[in-house]
Each structure stands twice: as C-alpha cells, then as structure tokens.
C-alpha cells in the first residue's frame, strides 16, 4: 500500500508538471503577444445628443416633435428599392454581432390617418413578429401597436437589408407604397434604438408625458414577444424589453413624472370640458355622456367624468359583463348599460359620445348618423384605428367631431410643466441604457471565451492521455481527483483573460483584446 501511494503521488506530480509546462508553453510561446490595456477615463453615461428630427428624418413638416430623436448620424436611412430577392438564406450569427433596430411611427411623426393603416391588433402582435423573423436578415422581432404609435423592434446582422425587408413586409401587409413608408417611418439603430425604447416605456415619448398606460402596453409586448413557441424575441430583444419595462418602473418610482399627470382618457374629458360651452352651449354638469366600449379606456373615462358630476353616463357594449363591472365600481356615477343595437339611438340622445372600441373600421359614420341626430352633438374618438369618421361627420351641422390628434393642444400645458421631471427621468434611463449597452457589447466576446475554454480543455485532455500509462496505478477516486485538479488549474489560468475581456467597455479596446487572445492562444488555427 505504501509503494502504491508513492507511485500515485509521483504520477500526480508528473501530471501537474506536464499541465503547468504545457499551459506556460501555450501562453508564452514565441508567437504570443502581450495583452495591452488601454486606460481611459470612465465616461459618464449620458443620453444621446438630439436634434429636431422632423427635418433630419424627412417627416411631415407640419407636425411638431414633442420628443427628441437622436442625431441623424446614428440613424439608418430608409433604403431605396431593394436589390435583394428575399429568400430563406438567413445566417445564424452570434447575438453579439447583431444590431437592435427600431422602425416605426408615432403621434410625433404621423397623423392618425397614417397610423391606423399600420395599426396591428394586440392579438396579432406575435403573428407579425413571427412573420418578420422568417425574413433572411431578421433574427428577432417584437411589435407594439397603440393608439399613438406603431413600432417594430428587430435584431439584425445587416441593418440596411433588415430595414428593406421590413419595408417590403409592411408594404405587403398594409398596401402603403414603399416610397410613402420611407417618408413616414423613422428608423433608429443601436444605442439610439434602445434609448427610444426606454423613453417609450418611461412615458417620455407619449402624447401625455408620464402616462402609465404605455408601461402596461410595453409589458404586454414583452410578455407576448417572449412567450415560448409563439413569441419572436430572442436573447437580445428579451433583454431589451425586460430592461425597458424595468426602466419604466424605475422612472415612475424614483421620480415624480407620473404624479399629477394625465392619460389620453383624461385629456379627452378635459377637451370636452373646454369645448362644451362653445360647441354645445352647455356646461359639463349638464351633459349626458355616451361611451362606446367598456375596456380600460372606458373605465378611465368614467373615472374622470365622475368628479365633474355629469348628468348621466350611457355605456354601449357588445356584452353586458364589463358595463356591469363599471356600474359596481362607480356606484355614484349614474351609469346605464346598453347593448350594441342601441348605439345609434344613444349617440343621438346624448350630448357627447366617446368612442374607444377595438373595431378596425369606423362605427359612427356620416351615412349612419345622417337623419338620426336630433340635436347638436360632440363626438370624441380616442381609438386607433378610428371609430368615427371625423372629417365626414364635421360636414354635418349637428355634429362636432374630434380625433386623438386633437388632444395635443390640451396636453401642451402639461408637457411644459413637466420639463424638469423629464430631465430627472432621463438620468434614470441613462443608467439603464449604459447597463444594456455593456451587456450587449459583451455578447461579442462570448465566441472568443468559448474557443478559449475549448482550447484549454483540449490541451488538458491531451496531456492526461499522454500520462495515461503513469496513471494506471491510481484508484478511481484518485483519477477523479486528478481530473478535478487539472480542470481547476486550467480554469484559474484562463480566468484572468476571460474576466478582463468581459470588463472592457470600449468597443475598440475589446476588439483589440480579442485579436490578441486569438493570436496568443492560436484560437484561429482551430482546436488541434
């Protein structure tokens, strides 16, 4: 037993010596290079420089951009005619080699007439995402479509081709010519696309600054995009959307951006309160109100109408369950429920009708209201696609119609008061932007780290095989100890380079370090 133990100890020492010599030879061979670290001052993360985007991106000149978009140098120009044929030749590249792109339009860049043509029902967000990822250069996709915006987030290894493919897809889906899409859509890439997503979730890009509904919508986008088998988000967009939702929560909890703010519904009620005397000759407490739909927007309408002591609220809905819930939730609001067959009757009887249904076509038109109206009425549409033919109905003497774009004047004062809060919120978002950017950039080092680990393991296994005859006298437990010991030595030897690679923030420095590691450990020559 004593001799056997001595032989085992000697064999173990031989193996460790071989492993150490091999590792030293590999790391300090004549062809190796010394890693160089470029020390730079730690730059504080700040929000991207901004310009007035209406001119920079060629959008509609008559629209004022309330939210600033990044410099044109950071955006991707919308390409001209596609020289590529779309075929299933997508190359699966590492996530770190892909770029985040945001392609879309909002209340800042397009009228409601344009937005409704591209609007996608929530039930179809996943379908559109999956269809987009079938395109050759698009790895991941997520869609968010609300009354004030339509945006597609993609991860692509070829930004220009990715934009072309999205344009062609939207052309096929909506029928809008590519030339018109090119004029209407904005495209943001990389950090600017991420920054935009964070501002959206934080409520800073909303028609009503700080409103909370967009955070719920972004959370829904995350849930649908990441649902197994149905969602089209991968590693990058999952992290992006999760970061956006977390950032939106932080903004609302760490700043006062959401306090004293208003929603689209409250802005619509405010519009009625401002206009009812001039349009109808009545004060707000003299109004009978009709609401088409009984969802979240309707609930917010009732919530803001109740304190104004309107005469009555008539809710028209396909099913009676939701109106009944509102009656129970607001017992003092004098709510009356009606079926869909009473829509025109209630619209004619009430002074003001709010439309907030999920219908894809107008439900109140010049044709179905002509001859029905007995007195002058006000119609307020806060849906996209529109539920009310506002332009046509404004031709009738007994009708004054408004759409969601008419709310801009109402919320302008709200935005002016909240400029300091926007600055505070953007400081929080800048922290989230920096963390996401560092994480995304670090993905580019994963292939090098994996190759380094495999290279080290191949060398370790080869040295163990060379010493097989010397290890023959060891017990199974001793052989396992040799395995653990050699793996531990190799792991500690390569831990330094891997840890250093993960901590480099500067892209240029990271690229140089990757090349140095590849030369030092012969990673480009394959695992021999």
């Amino acid at each position: 037993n004593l001799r056997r133990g001595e032989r085992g100890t000697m064999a173990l020492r031989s193996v460790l010596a071989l492993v150490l010599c091999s590792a030293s030879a590999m790391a300090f061979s004549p062809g190796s290079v010394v890693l160089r670290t470029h020390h730079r001052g730690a730059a504080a993360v700040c929000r991207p420089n901004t310009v007035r985007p209406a001119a920079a991106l060629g959008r509609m000149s008559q629209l004022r951009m309330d939210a600033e978009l990044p410099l044109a140098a950071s955006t991707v120009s919308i390409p001209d005619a596609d020289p590529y044929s779309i075929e299933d030749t997508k190359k699966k590249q590492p996530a770190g080699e892909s770029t985040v792109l945001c392609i879309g339009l909002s209340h800042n860049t397009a009228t409601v007439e344009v937005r409704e043509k591209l609007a996608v029902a929530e039930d179809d967000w996943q379908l559109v995402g999956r269809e987009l990822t079938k395109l050759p250069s698009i790895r991941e996709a997520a869609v968010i479509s609300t009354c004030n915006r339509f945006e597609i987030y993609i991860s692509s290894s070829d930004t220009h081709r990715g934009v072309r493919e999205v344009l062609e897809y939207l052309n096929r889906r909506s029928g809008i010519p590519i030339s018109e899409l090119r004029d209407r859509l904005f495209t943001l890439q990389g950090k600017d696309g991420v920054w935009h997503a964070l501002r959206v979730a934080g409520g800073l890009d909303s028609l009503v600054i700080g409103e909370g509904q967009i955070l719920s919508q972004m959370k829904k986008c995350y849930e649908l995009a990441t649902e197994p088998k149905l969602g089209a988000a991968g590693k990058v967009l999952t992290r992006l959307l999760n970061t956006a939702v977390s950032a939106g929560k932080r903004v609302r909890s760490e700043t006062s951006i959401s306090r004293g703010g208003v929603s689209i519904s409250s802005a619509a009620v405010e519009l009625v309160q401002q206009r009812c005397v001039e349009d109808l000759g009545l004060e707000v407490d003299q109004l009978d109100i009709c609401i088409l739909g009984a969802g979240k927007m309707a609930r917010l309408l009732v919530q803001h109408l109740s304190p104004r002591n309107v005469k009555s609220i008539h809710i028209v809905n396909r099913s009676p369950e939701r109106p009944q819930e509102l009656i129970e939730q607001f017992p003092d609001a004098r709510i009356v429920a009606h079926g869909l067959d009473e829509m025109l009757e209630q619209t004619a009887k009430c002074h003001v009708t709010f439309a907030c249904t999920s219908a894809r076509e107008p439900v109140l038109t010049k044709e179905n209201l002509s001859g029905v109206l007995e007195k002058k009425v006000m119609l307020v549409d806060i849906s996209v696609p529109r539920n009310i033919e506002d332009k046509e109905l404004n031709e009738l003497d007994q009708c004054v119609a408004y759409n969601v774009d008419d709310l801009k004047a109402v919320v302008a004062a709200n935005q002016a008061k909240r400029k300091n809060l926007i600055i505070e919120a953007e400081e929080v978002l800048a922290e989230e932007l920096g963390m996401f950017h560092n994480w995304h950039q670090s993905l580019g080092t994963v292939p090098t780290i994996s190759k380094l680990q495999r290279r080290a393991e191949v060398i370790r296994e080869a040295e163990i095989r060379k010493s097989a005859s010397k290890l023959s006298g060891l017990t199974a437990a001793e052989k396992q100890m040799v395995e653990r010991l050699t793996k531990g030595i190799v792991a500690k030897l390569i831990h330094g380079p891997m840890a250093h690679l993960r901590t480099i923030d500067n892209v240029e420095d990271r690229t140089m370090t990757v090349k140095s590691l590849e030369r030092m450990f012969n990673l480009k020559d394959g695992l021999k």
Side-chain angles (χ1 to χ4, degrees):
N1 290 337
L2 180 60
R3 290 178 182 175
R4 185 177 177 182
E6 290 175 350
R7 285 200 303 269
T9 302
M10 291 177 62
L12 185 57
R13 288 176 178 171
S14 298
V15 171
L16 295 180
L18 284 169
V19 171
L20 289 171
C21 289
S22 176
S24 300
M26 176 180 68
F28 303 106
S29 61
S32 65
V33 294
V34 179
L35 286 175
R36 291 178 295 175
T37 304
H38 296 262
H39 297 284
R40 297 172 182 264
V45 178
C46 61
R47 66 188 181 92
N49 292 327
T50 56
V51 293
R52 295 173 62 186
L57 299 180
R59 301 185 187 120
M60 300 177 63
S61 58
Q62 70 268 28
L63 292 175
R64 180 178 64 84
M65 293 290 286
D66 297 313
E68 295 176 328
L69 290 175
L71 282 168
S74 299
T75 65
V76 178
S77 59
I78 302 295
D80 293 324
D82 187 5
Y84 299 98
S85 60
I86 294 182
E87 53 188 17
D88 192 15
T89 58
K90 187 187 302 182
K91 295 181 179 178
K92 296 295 183 181
Q93 296 183 348
E97 297 179 18
S98 63
T99 301
V100 172
L101 284 165
C102 175
I103 303 169
L105 44 76
S106 70
H107 62 95
N108 290 317
T109 62
T111 61
V112 65
E113 290 88 350
V114 176
R115 298 200 304 272
E116 67 185 1
K117 291 179 182 178
L118 289 175
V120 177
E122 187 178 291
D123 292 341
D124 293 330
W125 289 5
Q126 290 178 323
L127 173 62
V128 172
R130 292 196 302 272
E131 289 177 345
L132 285 169
T133 54
K134 291 178 182 177
L135 302 176
S137 63
I138 298 176
R139 298 169 46 86
E140 309 173 32
V143 177
I144 181 170
S145 181
T146 72
C147 60
N148 282 321
R149 71 184 62 255
F150 165 76
E151 292 175 355
I152 292 173
Y153 292 90
I154 64 171
S155 174
S156 175
S157 56
D158 186 334
T159 55
H160 288 281
R161 187 172 182 181
V163 172
R164 289 192 190 98
E165 291 170 359
V166 171
L167 284 176
E168 286 196 342
Y169 173 82
L170 294 178
N171 165 251
R172 293 192 299 270
R173 181 178 175 85
S174 67
I176 302 177
I178 290 181
S179 58
E180 185 176 346
L181 288 171
R182 195 179 297 119
D183 291 337
R184 304 299 189 194
L185 294 171
F186 63 77
T187 303
L188 303 171
Q189 71 164 327
K191 254 187 173 181
D192 294 332
V194 176
W195 177 249
H196 178 73
L198 299 183
R199 294 187 86 256
V200 169
L204 306 189
D205 194 61
S206 297
L207 176 62
V208 180
I209 298 298
E211 57 100 0
Q213 192 172 5
I214 187 60
L215 179 58
S216 299
Q217 292 161 337
M218 186 65 86
K219 184 179 180 182
K220 191 66 177 179
C221 173
Y222 166 75
E223 292 171 351
L224 293 176
T226 58
E227 185 177 353
K229 297 184 180 179
L230 296 177
K235 188 172 187 177
V236 174
L237 290 190
T238 294
R239 181 68 174 249
L240 169 62
L241 295 174
N242 182 269
T243 299
V245 172
S246 298
K249 291 178 180 178
R250 278 192 63 194
V251 161
R252 287 164 176 80
S253 63
E254 297 179 22
T255 73
S256 302
I257 194 72
S258 61
R259 296 173 193 167
V262 293
S263 63
I264 297 297
S265 297
S266 65
V269 172
E270 183 69 23
L271 174 68
V272 169
Q273 186 169 7
Q274 290 179 5
R275 303 292 304 174
C276 61
V277 173
E278 181 177 344
D279 290 348
L280 304 176
L282 297 171
E283 295 290 346
V284 68
D285 59 0
Q286 298 176 292
L287 300 177
D288 291 306
I289 305 293
C290 176
I291 300 176
L292 307 184
K296 185 180 293 185
M297 300 285 273
R299 180 180 61 79
L300 291 172
L301 285 170
V302 175
Q303 179 179 318
H304 292 287
L305 287 167
S306 296
R308 289 168 169 81
N309 198 31
V310 296
K311 284 178 64 179
S312 63
I313 300 175
H314 301 261
I315 297 181
V316 176
N317 197 55
R318 189 181 303 275
S319 61
E321 289 81 14
R322 283 190 172 180
Q324 186 59 39
E325 290 176 4
L326 292 175
I327 291 173
E328 295 172 359
Q329 187 176 355
F330 301 95
D332 299 327
R334 296 185 289 277
I335 298 175
V336 182
H338 301 274
L340 202 57
D341 57 335
E342 298 181 64
M343 179 182 68
L344 296 181
E345 178 186 351
Q346 293 304 317
T347 301
K349 286 183 178 180
C350 294
H351 301 100
V352 178
T353 295
F354 293 95
C356 51
T357 79
S358 58
R360 311 301 293 173
E361 301 289 340
V363 295
L364 295 181
T365 65
K366 182 178 181 181
E367 182 180 355
N368 63 20
L369 286 182
S370 294
V372 175
L373 301 178
E374 300 173 358
K375 59 177 181 293
K376 193 167 186 179
V377 299
M378 184 188 297
L379 307 178
V380 182
D381 190 355
I382 54 176
S383 301
V384 176
R386 286 173 294 173
N387 291 171
I388 297 174
E389 284 185 348
D390 52 294
K391 289 184 178 180
E392 293 80 357
L393 282 167
N394 275 324
E395 296 174 0
L396 299 179
D397 294 334
Q398 293 176 303
C399 182
V400 181
Y402 298 94
N403 64 43
V404 70
D405 284 349
D406 295 311
L407 302 180
K408 287 187 176 182
V410 177
V411 301
N414 171 268
Q415 291 174 335
K417 293 176 183 177
R418 305 172 76 77
K419 283 185 177 179
N420 289 336
L421 295 177
I422 292 174
I423 295 173
E424 292 179 16
E426 287 185 333
E427 290 176 356
V428 174
L429 296 182
E431 294 177 12
E432 296 287 343
L433 174 67
M435 288 187 288
F436 176 86
H437 179 68
N438 288 340
W439 170 83
H440 189 221
Q441 290 296 320
S442 72
L443 293 180
T445 67
V446 171
T448 300
I449 290 173
S450 297
K451 286 191 287 185
L452 179 58
Q453 290 171 326
R454 290 198 302 272
R455 178 79 169 174
E457 180 60 16
V458 165
I459 293 172
R460 187 194 71 82
E461 290 176 349
E463 295 305 316
I464 290 289
R465 285 195 299 271
K466 288 180 183 178
S467 304
S469 60
K470 296 180 181 181
L471 298 176
S472 59
L474 298 182
T475 64
E478 289 171 336
K479 288 181 180 179
Q480 288 180 359
M481 184 179 69
V482 170
E483 283 285 320
R484 289 195 300 270
L485 204 57
T486 54
K487 284 183 177 180
I489 292 172
V490 169
K492 288 184 178 180
L493 282 171
I494 65 175
H495 172 73
M498 291 193 302
H500 175 70
L501 197 55
R502 290 191 181 103
T503 58
I504 302 175
D505 293 338
N506 183 271
V507 176
E508 183 180 341
D509 289 349
R510 184 184 290 113
T511 301
M512 185 177 297
T513 303
V514 166
K515 291 180 179 178
S516 296
L517 283 172
E518 288 176 343
R519 291 195 298 269
M520 179 182 297
F521 293 100
N522 297 319
L523 299 181
K524 283 192 173 182
D525 296 336
L527 303 180
K528 299 178 181 178

